[in-house]
Each structure stands twice: as structure tokens, then as C-alpha cells.
Amino acid sequence: MAQTNVVDEGEDFMRFRPQQQLVHRAFLLRAAALIANLCLAAAVSVSGQTIENDRVLLTFDSDHGSLTHLVDKQLGHDFVAGPSAAALWHIVLADPKGQSILPALAKSFTFQPSGPGNTSLVLEWSQFDLPSLPGLCVTATVTLEPGSPLSMWRVRAEGLSGRSIKSLHFPCISPITRQDHEVLAVPVWIGERSSRPRELVHDSKGTPRRVEWQYPGILSMQWITLYSDGGAGIYVATNDTAALSKRFAVFGGDDGSIGLEVVHQPELCPELHSYAMSYDVVIGGFRGDWYTATAMYRTWADRQSWVKESRLKRGLVPDWVLSTALWEWNRGPSVGVLLPAIELQRALGKPVSVFWHWWHGCAYDTGFPEYFPPREGETQFRTAVASARQQGIHNIVYMNQRLWGMTMKSWKDEGAERFAVKSEDGRPLAEVYNVFTKAPCAPMCIGTQFWRDKYAGLATRAVHDFGVDGVYMDQACASLPCYDTTHGHALGGGSYWIEGFRSLEADIRARCASDVPVLAGEGCGEAWLPSLDLMLSLQVSMERYAAPGDWEPLPLFQAVYHDAAVQFGNYSSLTMPPYDELWPAEYAPSQPLALLDQRFSTQFRLEQARAFIWGQQPALANFRPEQLTERPQEIAYVLKLARLRLLWKKYLLSGVFLRPQIIGAPTSEIPISRLSIYAGQQDHLKEYSKNVPMALASAWRAADGCVSIIIASISTTPMELTLDTRQLAVDLPQDGQVYEWDDANKSELGRIKDWVAPHIVQIPAEGVRCFEFVPLH
């Protein structure tokens, strides 16, 4: 019997400053930090073992080796709150009981400073009170680099006597010192932040809970940060170049505390005698915000192979993708998809491409992978695709990369269960997405040749036989541990999932070599940069599917990898959701695709402005030609952003994302529509209000050294904004010309050296501005 996971949080996505200061203020801040550092150093207990350099001080208790102090000397801040620190590590064995091993079980604990100036510390636990593991010895090494606020952590376990490790929690940093205005930032795909981190890890009664994110997968990068906005922040990362399986976690304590840890997932090996991490956990402090953390990570990430080998960096993304001004995201037969796209392209005057769902002959979220024949018939489908292509319309079609409907005939006929992802008890996992049919789907194991062959054959048929330009691989940037011993891959952890995906991608491209297929995937992730041409990033419209209050979208992935990835997509729509004609008729709404009330138009502009400002290719969902006349103002806004993005492509396609600018935009409470794709007749629109800025801004550096600041208003009234480029001083050219783009009209403002900050900007209703700083050369 399969284990079933009911997924009920909406479609697709939910599947699974420091600012430059004036000189006198900077001096005062440094003096204050020095005084605080001296006071803090005097207050730090000498109990235990301490290592330090000129930037950081670490203290471990002498009983069990818990981390009791993590002091950033420059900030004068201790990130660990008090002596009641949690265990530094925690091992869970891969046995039916899930036996746990903690440092307190060791009868012997020693530590030994080493390295130049005693900037390294070796901690060793042995003689455990475990009859089954008499020779177990756990050793942790912590190293400080001269002049760096970062510390490097590794752990190894020896004497495992053939016992496999299911998970190793290390290091555990808890309790973390409480600060005002705390923010938790996590690279969940493009990124999210919570301004209620302690409430997030405690329920309404104060009971602790934990939240984990899988890497590689829903966690697009291997880091996490907790900070006081504009104050002290703690940064936890790993420098794993092999994209090995791990989880990052935040958790609560009984006293209302909060902690962070990394959970390593080694490959299960029945004859394991030792395990050693092949990468470091990197921990450090900083003053700033989420962008400061992304800059720390980018310093390492930008040198990795997945950047150098990304499809965009290697010039392998097809030209038609790079030239796309706007994506139309429609569903159903071609008459409601390709024909509207032709009309939209005519109105835009620039290339429109199609992101096509529900073309397939099976019901959505139920009948995968029985995609063929297309629901409108093979001949009609081919004719429509060819006709649209003659008019410059390219398309990518939906094909889920990992699901197989467990009620489908092919599930039994092809013996698919054998190749599905298995839990530790050997049962296939099952996930339910379709709220009407409740039909389960099984995630298939990409580590099996069977599933890779099956999916590659389907993708090849779509491209070769039906003439589509590419495939959207839903749920691509996600991974699962599989414990099936017959699959031929490492069990549980390791790197087999991403290696399996790379094999699948290479096979599809080899089979379709003459057609140069585009491969797009849901979500984004650094490990997938060499494999995907496009990454669907929907958090720009997060309010449409997520419960309000806990999380806000952030462009963390763009801040690190924008110049190595093409991101696209948006749930932004002017209508109620469509309804799949192959779903049960009794749940169908009386009027699918009915226009939403115009009170939600500001939300629509917010979604479009986010995608534009954050450098994504824009998308419009559920477009119908009549919207050109029924919602002319909203459509005009989308078309304007699409044209300007092409005009400023050197920034918004291939530029480096710089620190976003504070522009003093007013905020306003706006109505928000929350809609699921499963909004049948029983599920009405949910509405709430949210306070949002009425203008958004971003900053960019192009490959030629030019820097731009781009502003998009979502307000229906003009406004005055304050642009303070002192935040960008380190990135601006030393001298050159300053230009202002008023939409597509460019005017010269003078020399960079004569530029006066702050600069007052008058921006019209729904206006867009670009300030460009061009070096002398």
C-alpha cells in the first residue's frame, strides 16, 4: 500500500543594508562597536575552550562541546544566547527504530587547539555508552581563517560497525540571541523571508516545531540567514560542489528560542565503518540584510562549475527564448492558446511565446504520463502548431517530469510501481493534487533508467512528431530520497538525483538534436543551471496561492545567479482560473475564466512589476483577446513592461543584480485575490488586504560596466520618489554620463561626478524610469 501525501496548497509551486554612511557617522559606529566588543569580551565566560581571530570568537563548553559563544567582534554581538546551548551534533542511524546518538552519551570528550595561532579546534567524543557501537568516535574540526568573519566546520564518525547514518545534524546553533526586527531569509526557489521567525517555529500554544528545506530541490542554494534588519545577522551555508543531499532547518525551543542547523544525508551503506563530510559548513556574522547574505554566498558561488557551465553562460539557450518579450500562459486546445497568442503578439509588436498546459489527452494532475494523443487530435494539433510557427509563435508544452497517475492503465501495464520512489519501508510514495478526483500520483525515481527512458521518449515524441519547440518539465527543481534497493542508485542521500536529471536532460537533447529543444523546469536551483534553458519562477505572484502573513517573496536567486539563468513566469491573471474539461463535470464553475473585479488590478500590476524589476521574462496567464478592450489599462501596463525589458535587455536579461534601491515609495493597503487552479464551483475566491509599496526598484550592472537603476510604479496616481545612489557608490563608474529613460525616451542628465544624491524623481501614474550610469569609455 502506498504512502499518500495530500497536497492542498495550490498548483505547481506548492508541490512539495548595509548603507554607505557619512564619514562622521561611520566613525561613531566603529567606536561604538569597539566599545561593545570590549564589554562583550569581558562578559564571555572562560569556561570551556575558545578559539578566535581578529574577527570572530567561538567558545565550546567543556562538558559535551556545545557551542556557547559565537561572537562577531566587529559587530560586538554574541549570536548564542546564554550557556544552555543545544547539543552540537546529533546522529540518527538508519535502522527501524531510528536510534539517535548525542554527545552526552560519550564518556570521553576532549578538545585540542591546532593551526597557526590556535585558530583551529579539534573536538572528539568517544567511549559511547552503546554496546552495539563500542568503537564509535565522532570528531569535529572548526577552523578560522585570518581576518575572516567566517568559520569552517566539518565532522566525521568512525567505528560505525556497519551501521548506516540516515542523518547527521551538524552544527546546531541554539539558542540564538533575540534581536529586534528579526528576519529569516531562505532561498526557497527564488527566495522568501519571514518577519515572524520565532512565531514560525512555535504554534499558538508555544509548542516548538521545526521547518526544513531540501537541497538540492526546493532550496535552490545551500545557505540560510537570520538577521536583525540593518543589524547583526548570522549566515549558515555549505560549500558543497557535488550538490549532495542535505536539509537546512530552523527550529524552536521550549523557552521560545530559535535555532539553525544543517542536516546531512549520507548515502546509506550496509557496510559503513566511517563517514566524513566532503565539504564545509560555513558560519559567520554580518551587519546588513538579505542582500548582504547573498553577496557573501555569491563570492563562493560565482566560481562554481554550474555557473561556468550554465546554458546561458555557454550561449546555448536558443535565440527565440532570449528574444521573447512576453509569455502567454494558457491552457486547453490550440484555439484557446495559440490564436490568442497571435493576437497578443500583434498588440505587443514584439515576440510572444506560449507556455502551454492542458494540451495533453489526459486529465491534469491525474492521468500523467498518458499525454498522447493531444486532446484535440493529432492532425489538428500539428496543423495549429505549424500555423502558429509561421507567424512567429514558439511554444513549450507541459509534461510533468516525475509523476505517474496510479489509477491509470499504464501504471499496471508497464509495471511502473517498481520504478517509483520508495519510502524506507519499501512502499511507493503517493501524492494527491487533484482535489476533485482525489486520484493519487506516484513520484517516479529519476535514478532509474526505466523512468528516464520513459520520459525522454515522451519528450522526443512531442518535439519530433508534433513539432513543439520544447518541454516544460514540471517539478524539475525538486528531489526526493529513495530507498529502493533494486534501483541501482545510492540509497537515501548522495547525489544520484541530480546526476539522474543530468542524464535525462542529455538524453533528451541527444534524441532531439536536430530540433534543438528548449527544456524549462519548475522552480530554480543552482544545480540545474547547466541543464535548463528556462526556470519557471512563480513567487512574484505568491499572494495568489500562499496563505498571508508568514512569508514574502525575495529575489535571492536573482541576486546570486541572474546573469547565469533565464527566469520566466507569473500567475498574474485578469480572470478566474480555467477548469479542465477532463475533470468531473459536477465540480465545474458556471463561468470559468470570468473577469476578476478591477479592484484587484493593483495586485496584477504588483505581480508584473516584481517580475520586471527582478529581471524575469514577463508572463500573462489566461489571456483572451477580448481583454484588450475589456481591460485596456492593465494590458497596456504589461505590454509596456515587456517592450522596456527588451530595450534594457543587457541589464534585465544578462546583468548582475545589485543592491536594490530605497526610493521612499509610499505604501498602500490593496485588495488581494487568493485563487487556486482548483477553484471549482464550491471554492470561491478568497480575498484579503495587504500593505505594499506603490513603486519598486532594482539596480543592475551590465557586462560593459554600465549601471542602471530601474523603477516601476504600480500606482494610478503620480508620485515623487527619492533616489539615493550613495547606496550604490561602490558599484557606480568613477565618471561618465548619466541618462534618464522616461519609458522609451532617453535624455542626458549630465556627468556622474556632478550627480547629486539624493535625487528627486517625478514618476507618472504606472510609470517606469531607468537611470543609466555609463562610464567614459
Side-chain angles (χ1 to χ4, degrees):
M1 182 177 180
Q3 293 186 356
T4 302
N5 177 29
V6 179
V7 181
D8 61 357
E9 307 232 14
E11 190 218 9
D12 289 346
F13 171 82
M14 296 309 295
R15 295 175 187 259
F16 341 69
R17 56 216 59 81
Q19 301 179 16
Q20 289 226 340
Q21 306 292 337
L22 298 177
V23 172
H24 70 279
R25 187 178 179 192
F27 174 80
L28 291 174
L29 285 173
R30 286 195 297 270
L34 176 61
I35 294 170
N37 180 33
L38 292 173
C39 295
L40 186 61
V44 169
S45 170
V46 295
S47 175
Q49 178 65 42
T50 294
I51 58 170
E52 60 183 312
N53 62 15
D54 56 346
R55 292 292 306 275
V56 63
L57 176 149
L58 304 173
T59 301
F60 301 84
D61 81 348
S62 55
D63 294 328
H64 302 298
S66 296
L67 178 66
T68 56
H69 296 286
L70 197 171
V71 178
D72 186 304
K73 295 181 178 182
Q74 192 172 75
L75 301 179
H77 182 78
D78 190 348
F79 289 100
V80 179
S84 57
L88 186 64
W89 55 265
H90 172 201
I91 292 174
V92 179
L93 296 178
D95 57 36
K97 295 181 179 179
Q99 182 179 2
S100 293
I101 304 173
L102 292 164
L105 293 175
K107 295 177 182 178
S108 173
F109 168 60
T110 62
F111 39 73
Q112 180 64 48
S114 64
N118 290 336
T119 53
S120 291
L121 185 65
V122 179
L123 304 95
E124 184 176 283
W125 298 261
S126 60
Q127 300 179 29
F128 285 82
D129 190 15
L130 297 168
S132 62
L133 294 169
L136 179 63
C137 179
V138 177
T139 305
T141 304
V142 185
T143 303
L144 306 178
E145 296 295 329
S148 171
L150 301 178
S151 52
M152 308 298 177
W153 304 60
R154 288 202 186 201
V155 69
R156 69 177 185 270
E158 298 171 304
L160 292 169
S161 302
R163 305 283 296 279
S164 293
I165 294 175
K166 179 182 178 182
S167 61
L168 193 160
H169 302 233
F170 172 82
C172 175
I173 307 168
S174 178
I176 294 176
T177 305
R178 185 184 292 269
Q179 299 187 78
D180 294 333
H181 312 298
E182 287 180 318
V183 177
L184 175 69
V186 185
V188 175
W189 282 345
I190 72 166
E192 297 177 6
R193 69 178 165 194
S194 173
S195 299
R196 305 169 56 248
R198 293 181 189 262
E199 291 88 342
L200 190 71
V201 293
H202 296 89
D203 65 18
S204 58
K205 296 180 180 180
T207 304
R209 55 190 177 189
R210 66 187 282 125
V211 185
E212 296 185 338
W213 299 273
Q214 182 72 39
Y215 175 91
I218 191 81
L219 200 69
S220 62
M221 300 177 283
Q222 43 192 310
W223 64 273
I224 190 172
T225 183
L226 178 69
Y227 62 91
S228 170
D229 202 3
I234 184 169
Y235 167 85
V236 179
T238 53
N239 57 10
D240 174 17
T241 59
L244 296 171
S245 182
K246 63 184 68 68
R247 303 189 303 272
F248 283 68
V250 55
F251 56 91
D254 291 328
D255 54 355
S257 63
I258 191 170
L260 301 174
E261 67 180 7
V262 183
V263 184
H264 313 273
Q265 297 171 277
E267 299 177 1
L268 300 189
C269 177
E271 298 179 355
L272 186 69
H273 293 282
S274 65
Y275 165 73
M277 286 170 49
S278 59
Y279 52 86
D280 300 303
V281 176
V282 182
I283 299 174
F286 64 88
R287 181 180 298 281
D289 57 10
W290 62 266
Y291 185 82
T292 315
T294 65
M296 295 170 70
Y297 189 75
R298 183 181 172 101
T299 299
W300 172 81
D302 206 36
R303 304 192 304 269
Q304 303 313 309
S305 61
W306 48 65
V307 170
K308 299 170 187 174
E309 296 172 8
S310 73
R311 305 247 335 142
L312 183 61
K313 289 281 191 181
R314 288 188 292 160
L316 298 177
V317 179
D319 289 342
W320 72 261
V321 172
L322 303 180
S323 300
T324 294
L326 179 63
W327 287 89
E328 179 220 60
W329 183 4
N330 279 17
R331 302 168 188 255
S334 59
V335 66
V337 177
L338 299 180
L339 295 184
I342 293 169
E343 291 298 314
L344 186 59
Q345 181 170 269
R346 186 174 295 119
L348 177 62
K350 301 291 182 182
V352 168
S353 297
V354 171
F355 180 35
W356 193 349
H357 281 45
W358 302 0
W359 62 276
H360 40 75
C362 61
Y364 184 68
D365 275 352
T366 298
F368 309 147
E370 297 183 8
Y371 299 107
F372 301 105
R375 64 180 58 184
E376 65 190 275
E378 294 187 2
T379 301
Q380 175 60 30
F381 184 88
R382 288 192 184 97
T383 300
V385 168
S387 177
R389 176 81 59 76
Q390 290 177 348
Q391 300 183 65
I393 301 293
H394 293 270
N395 68 81
I396 56 175
V397 297
Y398 178 100
M399 294 179 70
N400 194 290
Q401 179 260 165
R402 68 179 197 122
L403 291 183
W404 200 312
M406 300 173 78
T407 60
M408 304 306 291
K409 186 174 182 294
S410 59
W411 172 258
K412 291 185 177 180
D413 290 350
E414 299 185 43
E417 180 175 335
R418 178 185 169 191
F419 306 99
V421 171
K422 304 299 194 309
S423 61
E424 292 171 271
D425 61 10
R427 293 185 293 172
L429 299 183
E431 299 170 351
V432 174
Y433 299 103
N434 194 309
V435 302
F436 304 127
T437 67
K438 303 292 193 300
C441 293
M444 301 302 292
C445 181
I446 203 167
T448 64
Q449 188 68 47
F450 170 85
W451 176 242
R452 295 198 301 268
D453 284 344
K454 176 69 175 179
Y455 191 87
L458 292 168
T460 302
R461 186 177 179 189
V463 174
H464 268 335
D465 295 356
F466 292 94
V468 304
D469 295 290
V471 172
Y472 164 68
M473 307 169 74
D474 197 23
Q475 302 185 325
C477 296
S479 66
L480 283 172
C482 177
Y483 298 91
D484 193 316
T485 58
T486 69
H487 285 181
H489 58 68
L491 302 183
S495 59
Y496 68 88
W497 195 278
I498 192 64
E499 290 170 359
F501 188 92
R502 290 168 181 166
S503 294
L504 170 63
E505 174 255 344
D507 188 18
I508 294 172
R509 296 193 189 279
R511 296 187 191 204
C512 302
S514 60
D515 295 293
V516 193
V518 166
L519 297 181
E522 181 187 16
C524 54
E526 61 190 12
W528 282 269
L529 287 171
S531 301
L532 294 174
D533 300 290
L534 284 160
M535 293 180 168
L536 182 70
S537 301
L538 297 175
Q539 287 146 293
V540 291
S541 46
M542 188 173 180
E543 291 82 2
R544 291 208 184 226
Y545 60 80
D550 285 340
W551 296 96
E552 295 277 341
L554 273 181
L556 302 180
F557 195 79
Q558 288 93 328
V560 177
Y561 291 121
H562 180 266
D563 57 337
V566 183
Q567 295 174 263
F568 79 116
N570 208 319
Y571 274 127
S572 187
S573 169
L574 296 170
T575 74
M576 291 289 289
Y579 189 85
D580 190 341
E581 60 188 355
L582 301 181
W583 289 342
E586 61 265 30
Y587 299 110
S590 57
Q591 191 181 0
L593 294 175
L595 278 174
L596 288 169
D597 192 286
Q598 280 194 286
R599 69 180 183 275
F600 299 118
S601 292
T602 305
Q603 176 191 5
F604 177 83
R605 290 191 295 273
L606 172 66
E607 296 166 328
Q608 293 292 339
R610 273 184 188 150
F612 173 73
I613 285 298
W614 292 351
Q616 293 188 190
Q617 289 187 328
L620 178 60
N622 307 322
F623 172 74
R624 292 293 180 266
E626 53 266 30
Q627 294 172 12
L628 294 167
T629 54
E630 293 174 339
R631 290 289 190 268
Q633 186 173 351
E634 291 90 334
I635 295 297
Y637 187 76
V638 176
L639 301 187
K640 174 171 64 177
L641 296 185
R643 296 184 189 109
L644 291 176
R645 186 183 181 280
L646 280 187
L647 183 63
W648 302 330
K649 192 163 66 170
K650 75 176 184 179
Y651 302 114
L652 296 177
L653 174 66
S654 52
V656 172
F657 189 99
L658 302 177
R659 171 170 288 281
Q661 298 302 284
I662 298 173
I663 55 176
T667 62
S668 182
E669 199 86 8
I670 68 168
I672 296 291
S673 63
R674 185 181 172 203
L675 288 165
S676 164
I677 192 66
Y678 291 106
Q681 61 182 3
Q682 303 300 322
D683 188 4
H684 300 292
L685 178 150
K686 299 179 180 70
E687 179 179 346
Y688 65 96
S689 60
K690 181 176 182 178
N691 196 47
V692 303
M694 300 308 288
L696 307 178
S698 61
W700 303 88
R701 182 176 60 246
D704 61 4
C706 295
V707 171
S708 70
I709 300 170
I710 300 174
I711 303 171
S713 168
I714 65 171
S715 175
T716 55
T717 59
M719 68 178 77
E720 182 177 279
L721 303 173
T722 302
L723 180 59
D724 190 349
T725 52
R726 287 177 294 182
Q727 301 171 78
L728 272 180
V730 69
D731 295 297
L732 291 179
Q734 291 297 309
D735 197 12
Q737 298 301 121
V738 184
Y739 299 92
E740 179 179 5
W741 293 81
D742 175 359
D743 290 347
N745 302 310
K746 183 178 181 180
S747 58
E748 186 173 335
L749 297 183
R751 295 285 292 271
I752 293 176
K753 65 179 182 179
D754 299 324
W755 175 264
V756 177
H759 184 80
I760 304 302
V761 180
Q762 303 293 337
I763 191 164
E766 301 177 21
V768 180
R769 292 288 183 272
C770 174
F771 292 88
E772 192 171 21
F773 301 83
V774 180
L776 285 176
H777 65 266

